[in-house]
Amino acid sequence: TRRTHYSNEITPSLDGSHTILMGWVYEIRDLGGIIFILLRDRHGIIQVTAPSKKTSKELFKKLRKLKKEYVIEVQGTVQKSPKAPRSVEIIPSNVKVLAKSQQPLPLDPTGKVKAEIDTRLDSRFLDLRRPEISAIFKIKSRMLHSVRVFLEKEGFIEINTPKLVASATEGGTELFPITYFEREAFLGQSPQLYKQMMMASGLDKVYEIAPIFRAEEHDTLRHLNEVISIDIEAAFMNHEDVMKILEKLIVKVIKDIKEHCKEELETLGRELETPKLPFERLEYDEVVEIVKSQGVHLRHGEDLSRAAEKALGEIMPGYYFIKSWPTNIKPFYVMPREDDPSKSYAFDLMYKDLEVSSGAMRVHEHDLLVEKIKKQGLNPRSFESYLSAFKYGMPPHAGWGLGAERFTMALLEIKNIRETVLFPRDRRRLTP
Ligand code: ATP
Ligand code: AMO
């Protein structure tokens, strides 16, 4: 492009320099003798000031025709000006209209006219023109980058597994059936079986960042039907080893965001605190007691209800683990504890009342795995290729899945998960 600067690069010290800026008309104020245009680009807003005395008649006429959200190129001179926002403005010598915008707009990109989330999501591209919206996605991008850098340094290699699959992996949540030529198939709920099969390949440590699909019927502020899952699996490791990797990752990402996303955090008014290591580890048994002591009903052996999570969130300040979950409410691949097989080596990572990750040490012994598949009422035959990886030297292994959207919610204290996805898929929403 011929762009010379982004808006944030224009400072009073550039006084007198020639510049070319490109962006959207955020606001126009026509005061008769002077026209102010607020030009918005990726990095902020800059004032373009055209006093009639200093502007050619032709240009002045052109400026007068501009409308909100037109895309323009502005050539001009930087001028120090105590009256202007950030004490600097552009005196234009030429303005080109690169694209017009229809009026009225379906959504006010200044945010002055409040809109419901559904209206905003219908016009997501306009919604993203607001800095406090795009800041979320700049931070999410940095988070994913930081996760990759961290995992690569820890010796993990990135893998890609199929999303068109033949069977379920996670009990409980429903599958989306699809037509696969003459057969029935499903959208993948989790790379679980594939990442485990990789443990028999000698690659030892793998990760995948990819969509998972869950046919969740209920409409909540924490569930989506399409999620980006950050998955790891590591051989010769137990649950505690991968919990350490997870908590170290969380801290690393937070430090990285604090360092590289200062502006975005400020825009969002979020002060991120770096949690201390190690994170607290609660036993499931303790959790049941805590929840009960809060006056919330929870039967030992049950999964946490929403009320239980909330009660827990009121007591627990930040990130913490819940471990030793009952074996029979966890999927078949979770390893029962040697000392007490009714408990398991499964864990969840929580942030206050929100589950952000779950993981476990896995069953790596073929016969036990078959037994557990049967116990859950599943047919071992439909797991043949998975099971085959356990017959010829499968090392002990463990792993976890971290929901990218849930993690973003925790990082930024966002209440509705839809805010963390560009184009969310929920019970009602399939477009855009
Ligand atoms: P001046 O005598 O400096 O030209 P004014 O008050 O007589 O200013 P205008 O210049 O037409 O009238 O300005 C109209 C309004 O715009 C005023 O409220 C003024 O304070 C404001 N204004 C003028 N210049 C700037 C600027 N560079 N940035 C922001 N606001 C400005
Ligand atoms: P689980 O089913 O707990 O575990 O999913 C892992 C993490 O993915 C995120 N997540 C979701 N986020 C938003 N909406 C949803 N519908 C949704 N479903 C899941 C959560 C959750 O903690 N195979 C195991 C992981 C493992 O053991 O390695 C699994 O999928 O953040």
Side-chain angles (χ1 to χ4, degrees), residues 58-109:
E58 197 192 354
L59 179 56
F60 208 72
K61 250 168 89 183
K62 218 166 160 187
L63 293 173
R64 198 148 261 172
K65 281 194 196 143
L66 293 179
K67 299 228 163 69
K68 278 193 178 184
E69 301 302 317
Y70 274 27
V71 181
I72 58 172
E73 173 184 322
V74 177
Q75 299 186 30
T77 311
V78 178
Q79 180 170 291
K80 270 197 284 194
S81 164
K83 280 180 180 176
R86 293 199 291 117
S87 307
V88 67
E89 61 194 4
I90 307 293
I91 307 297
S93 55
N94 195 15
V95 169
K96 268 191 214 159
V97 175
L98 304 178
K100 289 185 175 177
S101 166
Q102 291 184 21
Q103 314 283 325
L105 296 150
L107 193 70
D108 172 22

Side-chain angles (χ1 to χ4, degrees), residues 3-15 17 19-22 41-46 78 86 88 90 263:
R3 190 198 316 255
T4 60
H5 298 85
Y6 275 111
S7 59
N8 65 326
E9 295 166 328
I10 304 292
T11 57
S13 64
L14 287 179
D15 187 62
S17 334
T19 179
I20 303 176
L21 291 138
M22 309 215 181
D41 63 18
R42 172 173 162 165
H43 292 292
I45 290 168
I46 181 92
V78 178
R86 293 199 291 117
V88 67
I90 307 293
E263 238 175 71

